[in-house]
Amino acid sequence: MLLEIKDIHVHYGKIEALKGVSLEVGEGEIVTLIGANGAGKTTTLKTISGLRNLSSGSIVFDGKDISRLPGHKRVLVGIGQSPEGRGVFPGMTVTENLLMGAYARRGDFSKDLDEVFELFPRLAERKNQHGGTMSGGEQQMVAIGRALMSKPKVLLLDEPSMGLAPMLVAQIFSIIKRINERGTTVLLVEQNAQQALQLAHRAYVLETGTVVKSAPAADLLDDPQVREAYLGGALGQH
Amino acid sequence: MNANSNVRSGNPLTALRRTVGGYTDGVRDWWATAPGWARWTVYALLIALAIVAPSDAIGSFMSPHSHWASLLFSPIGTYVLLAVGLNVVVGQAGLLDLGFVAFYAIGAYTMAIFGTKYGWTFWPVLVVGIFMTAVSGIILGSPTLRLRGDYLAIVTLGFGEIVRITAQNTEYIGGSRGITNIPHPEPIFGVEFFLDPLPYYYLLLAAIILVVVFAKRLERSRVGRAWEAIREDEDAAELMGVPTFKFKLLAFFIGAMIGGLTGVIWASKVIAIQPPNFPFILSATILAAVVLGGSGNLPGVMIGAFLIAWLPERFRGFADYRILIFGAALVLMMALRPEGLLPPRRRRAVASAGGTKPETSAASGDEAGGDRPAEEVAK
């Protein structure tokens, strides 16, 4: 397994946000984490990328225990994240934002930039526009492209569909698929369960800080409980 | 905000703001594309102006009420250098520091203690003073920089007060009487440092030039980029592999050194220092200079510090009303230039497009469209 999370507990003050989450992501997979607001999806991602400390449990990446590694060093071992709310640097241009993604690396990044621009032609048209002046969809592209600039082995995506029009969501998801086909493992957190389950190989369902279900994504699409809770399935069955 | 001002463009204040803004933006667009020789000419002219500044011809207009050369050293020169230091912390790294005066005080006290008790001369004390303040910057920063925003501001405010009150209650350094008979610097190139403010002014000017060059180089380095990322989104910066804590500490370290440098030079002139020389209001004033001038942009910050230091002295003729007029001048400037007199170009571009939210950028689209081509031409 590329990424193994074993029984992690995370606290915000006295409140326990994650109550023993375990999950695994294999090399080359797209794994999605679905669940309602406050289930702990974002906290799980932040703990993997090192923005949150865990109280107990462990995170093993590529055979190494990275549980105590500070966030900025996890980029070096191969974890790239597009954060919740996109986290685009508003005062930097598109190119500068993308180059920040390669901050931890040294060398010439023009080839990597070209790859991102090929993936997101929209960004190539707006190289010199400031991040803060872009639309939500464009910002999401910047956030994903920026994470790719660190050449991650696993790409963590936190709700890439948030606040986007349906057409844009479809576009972003097809790009995620292409990224995965090029060899990058993806861990995707989504509230848009329908789209996420169609894209992913496997899925975990998170409820109030614990994993309640894990299965191949296709199975969950047909699972009556999941349909009821996350896919609006009850309406369709009547 | 900007979406509103679009609707009410008949407002005379808004119209005036645009006129002023359009003019200064024009100058800055020219500057951004100006060739190297033009820039060097401007730098040389500015330095020449600073060198002839203490002359009586300039002084009679700038300061009819008090001794101009003395004013140029303190408060004007000291405020400018302090503001350049605070700008590293507030303007570049985005850390709100309300206790910056503490570093100024530690620098001044280092000069006073080593000069009077151990008989050290100015230059060795300068080195020790900068070292001491840098260490105190680390001491303040390492436990507190895990805090963000308002919480950091409160802790730094406390630090400023702690330093002043500790000085006041420590008999070894004179308690509330402070320290007197601080030695002056020894002569440089045969120029005596005594009561004449001119040599001190030139010493301070040299320090300002060195520090500005240093700060500018830093701004354009990897360190500067890391600070910019931290200022704009600290979590995202960490995700990019920026060791955010280390770089925030570095900002405190460098800011503190510049504050300490100012303190040492200032104390070497004034002969006596006392704890009330380092009140909270001085931290607030320097912060006001940074914000008024345009946080993050060195020329802006220096102009801001100059105005904050100079205006109250210029208005001395109004006696008791001078602070009232000073306040009115500040309000007027902030009304005309809400992002500061000379904000960084890039931040101004984003602000005029309606902030970071995409919805508002759509709402004020025409205004953003007006700014953007200029940006792109400049690149």
Side-chain angles (χ1 to χ4, degrees):
Chain A
M1 283 292 148
L2 183 63
L3 175 67
E4 277 175 84
I5 293 153
K6 293 174 194 158
D7 193 31
I8 56 168
H9 293 253
V10 174
H11 290 80
Y12 288 93
K14 280 185 179 163
I15 299 161
E16 191 170 33
L18 298 185
K19 303 162 184 166
V21 170
S22 298
L23 59 89
E24 293 181 338
V25 182
E27 186 135 24
E29 275 190 307
I30 301 181
V31 173
T32 184
L33 205 55
I34 58 173
N37 269 337
K41 305 185 298 293
T42 293
T43 306
T44 308
L45 275 204
K46 281 189 173 172
T47 313
I48 297 172
S49 56
L51 292 181
R52 274 271 140 206
N53 292 326
L54 38 78
S55 326
S56 66
S58 72
I59 302 171
V60 178
F61 181 75
D62 216 3
K64 270 180 290 184
D65 188 335
I66 59 164
S67 314
R68 301 280 162 223
L69 204 63
H72 60 267
K73 290 198 174 140
R74 296 192 194 187
V75 185
L76 295 172
V77 299
I79 297 180
Q81 184 178 348
S82 153
E84 181 187 30
R86 302 163 197 134
V88 167
F89 301 114
M92 297 189 197
T93 65
V94 169
T95 309
E96 287 168 334
N97 261 287
L98 294 177
L99 286 175
M100 270 317 290
Y103 188 86
R105 301 196 292 136
R106 305 258 167 172
D108 178 30
F109 307 117
S110 50
K111 211 174 122 261
D112 306 317
L113 273 177
D114 288 344
E115 267 178 45
V116 171
F117 286 139
E118 188 220 312
L119 213 50
F120 301 101
R122 183 74 164 264
L123 296 185
E125 294 162 19
R126 307 189 165 224
K127 281 179 192 175
N128 294 326
Q129 192 176 331
H130 285 101
T133 65
M134 306 184 87
S135 74
E138 290 161 348
Q139 289 193 349
Q140 188 59 60
M141 294 176 192
V142 173
I144 296 176
R146 193 179 58 180
L148 286 175
M149 288 294 288
S150 70
K151 295 267 159 203
K153 290 182 186 141
V154 62
L155 178 63
L156 312 180
L157 299 174
D158 198 342
E159 298 223 26
S161 76
M162 189 166 68
L164 301 189
M167 240 177 72
L168 262 174
V169 175
Q171 199 188 340
I172 295 273
F173 272 61
S174 77
I175 292 170
I176 295 172
K177 192 159 185 220
R178 274 180 67 195
I179 293 169
N180 176 250
E181 282 162 2
R182 291 179 179 194
T184 309
T185 308
V186 175
L187 176 57
L188 171 69
V189 154
E190 259 304 335
Q191 282 205 43
N192 190 337
Q194 181 83 40
Q195 294 272 2
L197 289 176
Q198 278 170 9
L199 177 74
H201 303 116
R202 291 190 304 112
Y204 292 85
V205 181
L206 215 57
E207 256 172 40
T208 56
T210 45
V211 173
V212 293
K213 239 182 192 106
S214 74
D219 295 358
L220 286 185
L221 270 175
D222 296 330
D223 184 304
Q225 266 178 304
V226 172
R227 288 187 70 91
E228 172 110 17
Y230 303 106
L231 303 175
L235 290 172
Q237 277 161 3
H238 285 296
Chain B
M1 281 295 282
N2 267 298
N4 269 344
S5 63
N6 264 358
V7 178
R8 302 181 291 119
S9 53
N11 185 332
L13 183 60
T14 313
L16 188 56
R17 184 186 294 164
R18 288 221 178 134
T19 314
V20 175
Y23 179 69
T24 55
D25 286 351
V27 173
R28 306 184 60 191
D29 287 339
W30 169 79
W31 178 250
T33 51
W37 61 265
R39 290 175 177 237
W40 283 107
T41 313
V42 173
Y43 292 142
L45 284 176
L46 284 174
I47 291 174
L49 181 66
I51 290 172
V52 301
S55 70
D56 289 336
I58 296 175
S60 62
F61 165 73
M62 297 299 280
S63 171
H65 309 291
S66 19
H67 187 214
W68 174 234
S70 303
L71 285 188
L72 272 177
F73 175 77
S74 173
I76 294 174
T78 50
Y79 276 24
V80 167
L81 192 50
L82 285 173
V84 170
L86 185 61
N87 182 54
V88 171
V89 181
V90 176
Q92 302 219 58
L95 306 165
L96 188 50
D97 183 349
L98 290 181
F100 196 64
V101 71
F103 303 122
Y104 181 53
I106 290 170
Y109 265 94
T110 309
M111 180 67 224
I113 293 166
F114 282 87
T116 58
K117 293 191 190 292
Y118 302 100
W120 287 32
T121 53
F122 174 77
W123 293 102
V125 178
L126 185 69
V127 175
V128 173
I130 291 173
F131 176 77
M132 295 276 279
T133 44
V135 169
S136 63
I138 298 283
I139 291 174
L140 168 65
S142 35
T144 58
L145 281 174
R146 291 167 212 287
L147 302 170
R148 290 187 186 182
D150 307 351
Y151 300 99
L152 179 66
I154 292 167
V155 173
T156 53
L157 189 156
F159 180 70
E161 289 299 281
I162 287 169
V163 167
R164 183 176 59 82
I165 292 167
T166 305
Q168 193 156 340
N169 291 308
T170 309
E171 267 315 304
Y172 175 71
I173 53 172
S176 51
R177 281 169 289 111
I179 298 178
T180 51
N181 291 323
I182 304 167
H184 297 301
E186 56 274 47
I188 310 170
F189 307 127
V191 181
E192 296 269 346
F193 286 81
F194 191 50
L195 293 179
D196 181 12
L198 268 184
Y200 299 97
Y201 168 69
Y202 288 121
L203 178 66
L204 191 58
L205 181 63
I208 291 173
I209 293 171
L210 283 176
V211 167
V212 165
V213 170
F214 173 67
K216 199 71 204 169
R217 293 194 66 92
L218 213 54
E219 190 184 315
R220 294 195 179 141
S221 68
R222 267 175 78 78
V223 176
R225 277 208 300 148
W227 281 339
E228 191 182 353
I230 291 170
R231 186 183 67 229
E232 298 202 335
D233 193 322
E234 196 174 329
D235 279 347
E238 181 84 17
L239 290 176
M240 302 300 110
V242 175
T244 49
F245 182 72
K246 216 164 79 186
F247 276 118
K248 288 196 288 180
L249 206 55
L250 183 68
F252 258 49
F253 180 84
I254 291 170
M257 285 200 311
I258 299 173
L261 167 72
T262 321
V264 172
I265 296 177
W266 178 74
S268 77
K269 173 176 185 288
V270 293
I271 303 171
I273 61 169
Q274 290 163 337
N277 292 139
F278 312 102
F280 164 69
I281 191 71
L282 186 56
S283 295
T285 306
I286 302 301
L287 183 65
V290 170
V291 173
L292 175 88
S295 184
N297 188 33
L298 271 175
V301 162
M302 291 168 74
I303 292 173
F306 174 82
L307 289 176
I308 290 267
W310 171 63
L311 286 179
E313 299 299 335
R314 186 63 184 80
F315 297 144
R316 224 168 245 291
F318 298 100
D320 287 351
Y321 294 103
R322 75 188 176 108
I323 298 298
L324 185 71
I325 293 168
F326 175 57
L330 291 191
V331 169
L332 186 69
M333 282 191 270
M334 285 320 269
L336 290 178
R337 303 284 291 171
E339 294 112 35
L341 294 173
L342 282 181
R345 281 167 55 83
R346 50 177 61 219
R347 260 183 268 174
R348 179 151 169 78
V350 174
S352 62
T356 57
K357 292 199 186 78
E359 303 86 69
T360 45
S361 95
S364 63
D366 60 335
E367 195 176 350
D371 259 24
R372 217 171 284 153
E375 272 293 307
E376 270 161 15
V377 169
K379 278 278 144 63

